[in-house]
Amino acid sequence: MIDSKIYGEYVTAWCPGCGNHDVLLALKDALARQDLEPHQFALVSGIGQAAKIVHYVRGNGFNGLHGRALPPAQALKLVNPELKVVVESGDGCTYGEGGNHLLAAIRRNLDITLIVHNNQIYGLTKGQSSPTTMTGHVTKNNPLGVFDQPFNPVAVAVTMHASFVARSFSGFKEHAAATIAAAIEHKGFSLVDMHSPCISFNKVNTFAWYKSRCKEVAHDPANWDEAMKAAMVFGEEIPIGVIYREERPSKETLLPQCRDGAMYRRPVDMDKVAAHMMSYA
Amino acid sequence: MREELHLILGGEAGQGLDTVAGLLGKAVVRSGRHLLTVQHVMSRVRGGHNNFRMRLASRPVQGPPDTFDLLAAMSRESVDLHRERLADGAVILVDGGWDMPPEPGLIGIPFAELASRPVFRNVALMGVLGAMLGIGADILRELVADNFRAKGDQIVSSNLDVLAAAMKWAADNAPSLPLPGEGDGVTRLAMDGNQALVLGALAAGVRFCGYYPMSPATSIAEGLAQVAVDLGVVVEQGEDEIAAANMALGASYGGARSIVPTSGGGFALMTEAVSLAGVMETPVVFVVAQRPGPATGLATRTEQADLELVLRAGHGEFHRAILAPATVEDCFHLTHKAFDLAEKFQGPVFILSDQYLASAVQSVEPFDLGALPPVAGPDLSDADPDAYRRYDWSAPVSPRRIPGHGRSLVLADCHEHDEKGHIIEAADIRVRMQDKRLAKLDVLRAEILPPVSTGEDDPDLLLVGWGSSGEVLREVAAVLQARGVRAASLCFTQVWPLAPETFLQRLHAAECVVAVEGNSTGQFARLLREATGFHIANSVLRYDGRALTAGYVLERLAPILEAL
Ligand SMILES: Cc1ncc(C[n+]2csc(CCOP(=O)(O)OP(=O)(O)O)c2C)c(N)n1
Ligand SMILES: [Mg+2]
């Protein structure tokens, strides 16, 4: 295992006490456990407080647009399957603005890891409701409380047979690091719904709130029925750990043109281009 | 002897006329003649009325034909729809089984006899047309056999029997309409604009295509998908256009030359990614194959009305280049060039084509692949990796390294950022970084394609067009010159940035300037005025969804010519 100091130390734009600090430590820890040197991986994010994490890790990085972390990350993996690709962003970015991309990414099943810093609120824009904000939660934009039902990312991912679905809590540092490491190690699309409290704009889902509710699951993650049952639980108890796992080949291993490593190194085969051209004669 | 022959094949969607037009076009080209086939199809899978207009000649042809020497009508509606487009003495081929009053030129093909089953009708029609045109039996047989090869020997041989019977019937019963001129024995390709564009992208080393299906751009992605494994291209259908465009940027960050084919409605969803390419300084080639808008407009028709959209798309200020091919050959060369330009200045380059050009099949000589200029690539040096800064501002264009190649770390960012790619808010860094990006205009300026001009330097009439209207203008100018008018044409294949020093003099020197565009408000004329101050007072515009033709332009020029 390499020393996680290799990933650098940066001044962050996060509030003191924000769960994101713990997620950052867990990520560095997980990268180190996987023996990944900075040039061997790329972090891809969108926009939000969580998404700034790309700027706080020494490594390759692509900080894309709000909601759009998954599309560039998947394309990057397709054109360079040798690179480890880890996507991080917030609940608003991933489940709201980028919701359709999540569904498609689960279906594509590329060997990438998605870590969602789920604080159940829009942090960077200072406190509007997100897709995971609970019904009844009074926010600045919902003075009567949120009427909409919350989105359950874990249940959706399990329903779609995502190949690795886990939930963790930033406050449980070892759990968070081990879960991320397992997700990175897993071959295929892995989702880690990481509860990471926002201390400034979410006074409902606090450290204490998560801490008293998060309990490690006991079922076999290969059992879809059990996984689905656990996935539907969220409230007085919050199951954490690997909820569902299904081994199947990831897309880049199925595409013949992705099997020869990074595409940028491949020269143009003009003879083949010429042969294609002459098929029009 | 005729120099040209114009055919129109009309019928319902789902009848397979596209196959007949495609095979016949190939046969014409293999016979050493020149070809242009223009597609007019409705946005439906069955029924309605589609037609294919073919211009066959012994010399290179330009725009779409206006009048026709032969109509092959596979639906009765087709006869009435196209009658007014027929030249004197035109032949009208119909189904002999229809109850139609006889008229001069009307010939009923006994499909009931020649095609024992409806699936054979297309080959029977091809046999009749091939025989009338005097195309060699060997050429026709080979094309039919190749077309059905995958379906097995049995199907090939029954189709060849139908072909032979149809040719024999035509030799005995139909008039001869021989192909113009003598075959010149030159090998040519029968290719549409999108196919040439795909070829240009392949020759440039395209490695990633992100798309979401939308006419008339879909055949670009499908064309790439057909050869993707063999030539090493990842073609990924996005869940939407937003994904497709953002994917292309991720792929390009990973070092893969990336293309994003779409049409106006899809491109509207991609504008955030255009802006992202601008600030991230990431090369990407967008193809916007225009169709009439607003919104869904006319899905399978043509227009040149997205120039202003493409020119302004994306929030914030950054540079871009917009290339507008006039011909199928341009589609090849400009796409190849677009990849080079995108890498050289590290930003978005656009190919602005349209439905007409995307689907128009032209005869072109094989491209000299060996003579293509090299395409710029990223910096694969990995020299002094710890000192590497993705947005090094010591020059406008910073070395672009690829993540995972060596130990250099590459940070691409959508915020304003410092040289390393880290998010910043400092006023001085912002200004310096924005100035650095804007200074890349010089890289684009050094490569601007001047407009293609024909005619004298100080003509009485100067026709100005862009993109696919260019070919028609050259043809109109030539027709007018033959009538004694001092006419000239100026066709822009790059519409942004513009280099006024290469054309402004010509605008001033002309007695009368007319802008010819496939839109309803004269977008390019407006752009020229913005860029040069020169106001083009006259215009011929077309926005009925159909391609500009010489006949259309000449008719509308008449009052302007009278006033000259
Ligand atoms: C296209 C676009 N829309 C809206 C915004 C404004 N915006 C920035 S972050 C954000 C929400 C962030 O919430 P989340 O993804 O949960 O991240 P957090 O800050 O909570 O970590 C919004 C709406 C934006 N930057 N871009
Ligand atoms: Mg959030």
Side-chain angles (χ1 to χ4, degrees):
Chain A
M1 176 169 150
I2 56 180
D3 186 344
S4 65
K5 283 205 178 66
I6 197 173
Y7 307 118
E9 282 287 340
Y10 297 82
V11 178
T12 74
W14 295 327
C15 307
C18 171
N20 288 339
H21 296 288
D22 294 328
V23 184
L24 175 60
L25 286 177
L27 172 70
K28 287 177 175 177
D29 201 351
L31 291 169
R33 288 183 204 199
Q34 293 294 310
D35 278 324
L36 288 165
E37 291 194 62
H39 66 280
Q40 293 174 315
F41 66 86
L43 281 187
V44 181
S45 77
I47 293 294
Q49 282 294 77
K52 288 180 183 165
I53 196 163
V54 167
H55 296 276
Y56 310 144
V57 178
R58 222 184 121 246
N60 293 299
F62 183 106
N63 186 169
L65 296 170
H66 185 52
R68 316 295 174 224
L70 281 169
Q74 293 170 91
L76 177 59
K77 185 69 187 180
L78 283 166
V79 302
N80 188 353
E82 292 157 10
L83 213 54
K84 273 282 171 204
V85 177
V86 177
V87 185
E88 291 207 38
S89 211
D91 44 316
C93 187
T94 314
Y95 303 143
E97 186 90 56
N100 194 21
H101 308 313
L102 174 66
L103 301 184
I106 292 172
R107 292 181 48 235
R108 274 192 200 98
N109 190 41
L110 287 153
D111 181 19
I112 64 173
T113 294
L114 168 64
I115 303 163
V116 183
H117 301 217
N118 186 353
N119 55 13
Q120 303 185 252
I121 206 79
Y122 280 15
L124 179 58
T125 48
K126 307 193 174 177
Q128 304 80 24
S129 52
S130 92
T132 51
T133 303
M134 295 192 309
T135 308
H137 188 154
V138 175
T139 59
K140 270 193 236 168
N141 61 327
N142 289 283
L144 303 180
V146 169
F147 291 108
D148 306 357
Q149 283 178 9
F151 176 71
N152 182 336
V154 171
V156 168
V158 175
T159 310
M160 293 180 72
H161 288 256
S163 84
F164 181 105
V165 187
R167 188 188 281 119
S168 188
F169 165 45
S170 61
F172 296 163
K173 291 183 188 170
E174 171 54 28
H175 191 275
T179 307
I180 294 174
I184 294 176
E185 197 174 358
H186 175 81
K187 296 263 168 280
F189 182 79
S190 47
L191 165 68
V192 180
D193 185 51
M194 177 70 72
H195 282 290
S196 161
C198 170
I199 58 155
S200 298
F201 300 108
N202 188 339
K203 307 289 185 194
V204 174
N205 312 102
T206 62
F207 264 96
W209 190 89
Y210 287 118
K211 199 174 165 200
S212 64
R213 288 167 168 78
C214 288
K215 304 260 159 31
E216 181 72 26
V217 290
H219 69 268
D220 170 10
N223 184 326
W224 187 85
D225 292 313
E226 294 289 326
M228 208 55 222
K229 230 180 268 168
M232 293 312 294
V233 179
F234 190 95
E236 285 319 302
E237 194 180 313
I238 303 175
I240 60 168
V242 180
I243 312 275
Y244 184 64
R245 182 165 27 210
E246 180 179 306
E247 304 290 342
R248 65 169 184 276
S250 56
K251 182 163 184 172
E252 77 281 2
T253 65
L254 297 172
L255 288 173
Q257 61 269 52
C258 295
R259 290 194 193 130
D260 303 326
M263 299 200 107
Y264 73 86
R265 283 195 227 108
R266 253 174 265 178
V268 182
D269 188 338
M270 275 300 180
D271 291 339
K272 283 188 175 172
V273 176
H276 174 61
M277 174 172 78
M278 295 318 293
S279 71
Y280 290 97
Chain B
M1 180 146 194
R2 308 170 198 264
E3 282 196 316
E4 296 202 5
L5 197 58
H6 299 172
L7 320 182
I8 186 163
L9 316 182
E12 290 176 11
Q15 283 186 326
L17 278 176
D18 48 341
T19 309
V20 179
L23 291 177
L24 195 64
K26 255 193 169 177
V28 167
V29 170
R30 288 189 187 179
S31 306
R33 309 309 205 282
H34 295 264
L35 165 79
L36 172 68
T37 302
V38 186
Q39 177 182 306
H40 289 246
V41 304
M42 291 179 73
S43 181
R44 51 195 287 175
V45 178
R46 292 259 175 259
H49 184 264
N50 290 349
N51 64 87
F52 294 82
R53 303 178 187 187
M54 305 180 72
R55 186 171 177 184
L56 321 179
S58 54
R59 50 182 172 71
V61 289
Q62 294 175 306
D66 288 295
T67 55
F68 297 87
D69 308 299
L70 179 144
L71 163 65
M74 291 298 102
S75 69
R76 294 192 61 158
E77 186 191 14
S78 198
V79 181
D80 301 324
L81 281 170
H82 299 299
R83 195 181 283 284
E84 62 175 31
R85 296 192 176 88
L86 299 182
D88 287 344
V91 175
I92 305 176
L93 296 177
V94 297
D95 185 335
W98 296 341
D99 177 21
M100 288 185 72
E103 62 175 293
L106 184 82
I107 297 170
I109 302 175
F111 280 117
E113 255 166 63
L114 296 175
S116 56
R117 287 192 287 133
V119 287
F120 292 134
R121 287 174 67 106
N122 285 329
V123 169
L125 176 61
M126 192 172 147
V128 169
L129 290 170
M132 290 175 73
L133 297 173
I135 293 172
D138 292 351
I139 294 177
L140 296 172
R141 289 175 59 84
E142 194 180 343
L143 284 166
V144 168
D146 282 351
N147 192 59
F148 294 102
R149 177 109 47 229
K151 296 191 173 161
D153 291 347
Q154 186 60 48
I155 306 268
V156 170
S157 94
S158 26
N159 275 285
L160 287 176
D161 290 346
V162 173
L163 180 77
M167 289 179 72
K168 172 151 194 335
W169 177 85
D172 297 341
N173 299 286
S176 163
L177 271 180
L179 286 176
E182 304 287 321
D184 61 7
V186 175
T187 298
R188 291 193 187 86
L189 317 169
M191 200 176 236
D192 69 29
N194 278 358
Q195 290 164 338
L197 195 151
V198 163
L199 192 66
L202 291 171
V206 67
R207 292 283 169 256
F208 185 85
C209 169
Y211 76 103
Y212 186 88
M214 186 167 190
S215 295
T218 312
S219 66
I220 297 170
E222 288 174 344
L224 283 168
Q226 291 304 311
V227 297
V229 172
D230 198 30
L231 278 138
V233 190
V234 173
V235 183
E236 191 63 28
Q237 178 168 324
E239 47 276 20
D240 53 35
E241 282 87 352
I242 300 173
N246 281 280
M247 277 180 184
L249 293 179
S252 181
Y253 166 72
R257 294 199 174 102
S258 299
I259 193 165
V260 187
T262 187
S263 189
F267 181 66
L269 289 169
M270 296 178 174
T271 54
E272 60 168 49
V274 176
S275 183
L276 181 60
V279 78
M280 270 195 172
E281 305 198 40
T282 300
V284 59
V285 175
F286 288 94
V287 181
V288 181
Q290 300 162 99
R291 67 190 223 188
T296 310
L298 298 164
T300 57
R301 308 291 174 173
T302 200
E303 196 160 87
Q304 293 186 293
D306 293 333
L307 171 60
E308 286 173 346
L309 171 68
V310 168
L311 185 67
R312 318 279 179 207
H315 50 295
E317 296 170 303
F318 54 94
H319 291 303
R320 72 195 69 202
I322 309 174
L323 309 178
T327 62
V328 168
E329 285 183 14
D330 286 347
C331 287
F332 172 81
H333 287 291
L334 296 191
T335 304
H336 186 269
K337 184 187 167 70
F339 281 94
D340 182 52
L341 213 49
E343 182 69 48
K344 274 189 184 140
F345 103 108
Q346 296 181 9
V349 175
F350 298 86
I351 307 280
L352 194 50
S353 93
D354 52 45
Q355 181 273 333
Y356 159 67
L357 189 56
S359 60
V361 177
Q362 274 179 9
S363 47
V364 293
E365 285 185 28
F367 304 105
D368 185 352
L369 301 176
L372 290 170
V375 179
D379 169 20
L380 297 180
S381 69
D382 200 36
D384 196 0
D386 290 337
Y388 177 65
R389 300 182 315 282
R390 170 66 189 91
Y391 302 108
D392 182 341
W393 56 29
S394 55
V397 179
S398 326
R400 191 172 84 91
R401 292 191 183 167
I402 302 306
H405 182 82
R407 304 190 79 87
S408 302
L409 300 177
V410 189
L411 180 55
D413 185 29
C414 72
H415 304 90
E416 192 52 274
H417 43 251
D418 62 17
E419 286 182 284
K420 283 246 173 198
H422 281 300
I423 174 173
I424 57 94
E425 296 195 23
D428 55 339
I429 300 180
R430 151 67 178 182
V431 168
R432 188 152 175 201
M433 203 48 90
Q434 175 71 352
D435 289 346
K436 165 200 144 38
R437 285 190 296 263
L438 293 183
K440 296 193 293 182
L441 181 58
D442 287 343
V443 178
L444 294 180
R445 280 221 183 96
E447 304 240 353
I448 295 175
L449 294 167
V452 180
S453 71
T454 67
E456 295 170 46
D457 286 342
D458 60 341
D460 290 335
L461 176 72
L462 178 64
L463 303 168
V464 177
W466 63 282
S468 73
S469 61
E471 278 280 78
V472 177
L473 295 198
R474 286 192 274 274
E475 182 170 15
V476 170
V479 170
L480 291 175
Q481 284 162 14
R483 289 189 202 159
V485 180
R486 291 176 62 247
S489 71
L490 192 61
C491 170
F492 289 76
T493 53
Q494 177 161 2
V495 293
W496 196 258
L498 292 166
E501 65 277 12
T502 62
F503 62 83
L504 191 53
Q505 185 50 41
R506 268 185 79 70
L507 294 178
H508 285 296
E511 181 69 29
C512 170
V513 183
V514 181
V516 182
E517 302 187 47
N519 57 51
S520 60
T521 64
Q523 295 190 17
F524 186 64
R526 202 148 57 229
L527 180 60
L528 273 183
R529 190 175 191 180
E530 181 189 315
T532 66
F534 190 92
H535 175 49
I536 301 181
N538 301 289
S539 62
V540 172
L541 304 174
R542 183 163 200 175
Y543 51 96
D544 58 3
R546 276 66 180 166
L548 284 158
T549 64
Y552 181 96
V553 178
L554 284 164
E555 200 180 312
R556 281 149 189 89
L557 280 177
I560 298 172
L561 286 169
E562 253 164 52
L564 268 185

